[in-house]
Amino acid sequence: MAINQLKVPGKVFSGNDSYLKLNDIIAAEAVKAVILITDKGIEGAGITAPVLELLDAAGVNTQIFYHVQAEPTYNDVTQLVNEIGDAAADYIVAVGGGSVLDVAKLVSVLKGASYSIENLLETPGIAKKQVKAVLIPTTCGTGSEATCNAIVGVPEKGIKIGIVNDELIPDVAILDAGFVKKLPQKHLAAAAVDALCHCVECYTSNKANAFSDLFAAEGAKLIFHNIREAYADAANLDARAQLLIGSFYGGVAITSSGTTAVHALSYPLGGEFHIPHGVANAILFEKVMRVNKPDITNELAALCDAAYPQQAALSAEEKAEFIIEEIADIVKKLEIPADLSGFGVQLKDLDFLVEAGSGVRRLLDNNKRALTKEEITDIYLSVLNEQTGGEENE
Ligand SMILES: NC(=O)c1ccc[n+]([C@@H]2O[C@H](COP(=O)([O-])OP(=O)(O)OC[C@H]3O[C@@H](n4cnc5c(N)ncnc54)[C@H](O)[C@@H]3O)[C@@H](O)[C@H]2O)c1
Ligand SMILES: [Zn+2]
């Protein structure tokens, strides 16, 4: 029997104002200096203010760095590590979406280290935690606050690469819905569908196991039942809070299982065409699940049983179809583009996409169906050719 492992942050807090738990950490560990990592959008929206006030009131010397780019490249990370230099830090506190959280996790293993991010891209196993990290997500999506992954663009290859090492798991995750209150609907949509991808892919992955199934099924249930409500009504904080928990569960599922072909095929769309991660996944989600369906009917049916027990009378085949239809409906209701026409991707790019997507073996090897080059080509063609419109330049 395979050995499974559950890996979670040392402490996880959730609930309104749970960010106040920072006070306990400061007191218990005599924290004197903090580096706060965020991005300009979050800083501008005033989302970091309560954390800064808390740190100030606790007498912590805080330096704030907000030069994180959305969908960062490894060069962006190097730039930030250089900017931070030898600034004093007992802790890193990150307030942001997946971009900020991934960068902060990388800083936590790079600050003062003898190796570089280029070394980590080659040999992720050498990463060692240099500074502890507290992660506070502001999007309900990536689950990065739970995962051992950090994803960076590698422009030379036109692809994104996930650096994976348990040392990247944060020490503390704080799931406080107050931090997702101002998340714009467009970003909420992309991030929440990404979280649903994490749950569904992990549940149907070759690496799925008892631990990941527990978190993936519960995460999928929370997301299926709150995502449309959260998008339709920006004031529905309860739905956002449920998505925040669901996306955290998706992150936990990733560390124990792994995502599959949706994420694999989306990496070149993010790396070369800079399509936001959640949008690229959403465009591919239904198509990949349809191709995978013959090999994952039972898993999709079990997910249907977990999330929609009222559909118990359906056959396994019908339950699998029900889940795929739900996915398609969610992407439509959340007004995410259904194809690549608005992102400058053309038919002439097909060979690059197929080549680059087929090369993401770390994730494709998790896919229950061993996708052929023809199937991968058909998946990309189906999202290239569809002319259903949608928002441009998301
Ligand atoms: N490490 C992992 O396990 C993992 C998993 C999935 C995705 N990712 C990575 O995460 C990144 C995407 O993260 P994301 O989808 O969370 O988006 P993001 O972090 O790129 O943020 C998108 C935009 O939303 C703004 N924003 C974020 N929160 C806000 C808030 N509460 N209010 C107002 N504006 C807000 C940001 O300023 C930014 O402009 C990608 O680089 C992706 O590869 C990592
Ligand atoms: Zn993702």
Side-chain angles (χ1 to χ4, degrees):
M1 226 171 96
I3 294 173
N4 305 315
Q5 195 186 342
L6 184 65
K7 297 166 276 184
V8 289
K11 281 184 181 145
V12 185
F13 301 106
S14 75
N16 285 341
D17 291 334
S18 47
Y19 80 98
L20 295 172
K21 280 285 171 191
L22 278 171
N23 280 317
D24 295 1
I25 297 163
I26 293 166
E29 302 189 38
V31 176
K32 298 265 175 298
V34 155
I35 285 177
L36 193 141
I37 299 178
T38 187
D39 70 29
K40 278 186 186 155
I42 292 154
E43 168 75 352
I47 295 165
T48 51
V51 176
L52 285 168
E53 274 164 33
L54 180 151
L55 294 169
D56 190 41
V60 175
N61 171 22
T62 306
Q63 292 194 55
I64 177 160
F65 295 88
Y66 49 84
H67 289 129
V68 176
Q69 306 297 327
E71 314 277 329
T73 66
Y74 76 94
N75 296 312
D76 297 328
V77 177
T78 303
Q79 224 173 323
L80 185 69
V81 169
N82 290 340
E83 192 187 337
I84 290 171
D86 58 4
D90 301 319
Y91 258 99
I92 291 167
V93 176
V95 180
S99 299
V100 166
L101 302 189
D102 278 6
V103 168
K105 284 157 69 175
L106 287 167
V107 173
S108 81
V109 298
L110 283 166
K111 187 182 180 306
S114 56
Y115 48 81
S116 65
I117 190 160
E118 284 90 339
N119 299 140
L120 290 187
L121 284 165
E122 285 291 317
T123 326
I126 60 174
K128 283 272 165 293
K129 182 95 70 175
Q130 310 289 325
V131 188
K132 288 183 171 183
V134 178
L135 267 52
I136 307 179
T138 65
T139 61
C140 20
T142 67
S144 175
E145 70 280 3
T147 69
C148 49
N149 307 358
I151 299 163
V152 287
V154 179
E156 303 85 282
K157 295 187 178 163
I159 193 123
K160 295 180 107 177
I161 292 186
I163 297 173
V164 184
N165 185 314
D166 289 357
E167 298 280 312
L168 289 168
I169 297 182
D171 301 276
V172 183
I174 298 180
L175 312 172
D176 185 335
F179 288 78
V180 298
K181 200 171 165 182
K182 294 182 183 168
L183 179 66
Q185 296 302 85
K186 185 167 122 174
H187 293 312
L188 178 137
V193 174
D194 183 30
L196 187 59
C197 284
H198 296 162
C199 295
V200 175
E201 287 179 74
C202 284
Y203 199 83
T204 58
S205 168
N206 273 326
K207 284 195 189 157
N209 60 75
F211 293 143
S212 62
D213 282 355
L214 185 70
F215 284 94
E218 188 59 24
K221 185 174 159 186
L222 286 171
I223 299 166
F224 274 130
H225 292 298
N226 288 284
I227 191 167
R228 283 169 278 225
E229 291 74 2
Y231 184 73
D233 178 8
N236 188 340
L237 248 198
D238 186 50
R240 285 178 181 233
Q242 300 297 331
L243 290 182
L244 196 55
I245 303 286
S247 59
F248 173 77
Y249 287 172
V252 175
I254 287 179
T255 59
S256 192
S257 173
T259 56
T260 61
V262 179
H263 271 66
L265 301 189
S266 93
Y267 276 5
L269 296 173
E272 182 68 14
F273 299 99
H274 309 294
I275 302 175
H277 178 78
V279 175
N281 287 336
I283 290 173
L284 291 163
F285 201 1
E286 182 202 348
K287 314 284 181 194
V288 170
M289 287 300 144
R290 281 213 180 284
V291 175
N292 277 348
K293 190 174 149 197
D295 298 68
I296 58 169
T297 300
N298 290 339
E299 289 78 4
L300 290 176
L303 208 48
C304 183
D305 287 334
Y308 299 99
Q310 65 276 26
Q311 304 297 340
L314 298 180
S315 67
E317 171 72 26
E318 287 165 340
K319 287 175 186 170
E321 186 57 30
F322 182 86
I323 289 291
I324 296 176
E325 289 296 329
E326 280 291 278
I327 290 167
D329 183 63
I330 285 167
V331 173
K332 198 168 170 207
K333 292 253 166 57
L334 269 58
E335 302 174 279
I336 300 177
D339 62 72
L340 298 170
S341 56
F343 299 96
V345 189
Q346 295 168 17
L347 206 54
K348 69 175 172 53
D349 302 310
L350 184 64
D351 289 349
F352 160 76
L353 288 174
V354 173
E355 202 52 42
S358 311
V360 187
R361 297 302 337 162
R362 179 176 74 86
L363 302 182
L364 281 179
D365 289 347
N366 297 343
N367 205 59
K368 281 238 159 84
R369 185 176 182 86
L371 294 179
T372 63
K373 271 221 160 138
E374 290 67 34
E375 284 170 329
I376 292 177
T377 305
D378 285 347
I379 290 168
Y380 280 126
L381 259 179
S382 70
V383 292
L384 268 170
N385 281 351
E386 230 173 81
Q387 296 297 325
T388 50
E391 256 180 78
E392 292 208 344
N393 303 321
E394 167 121 357

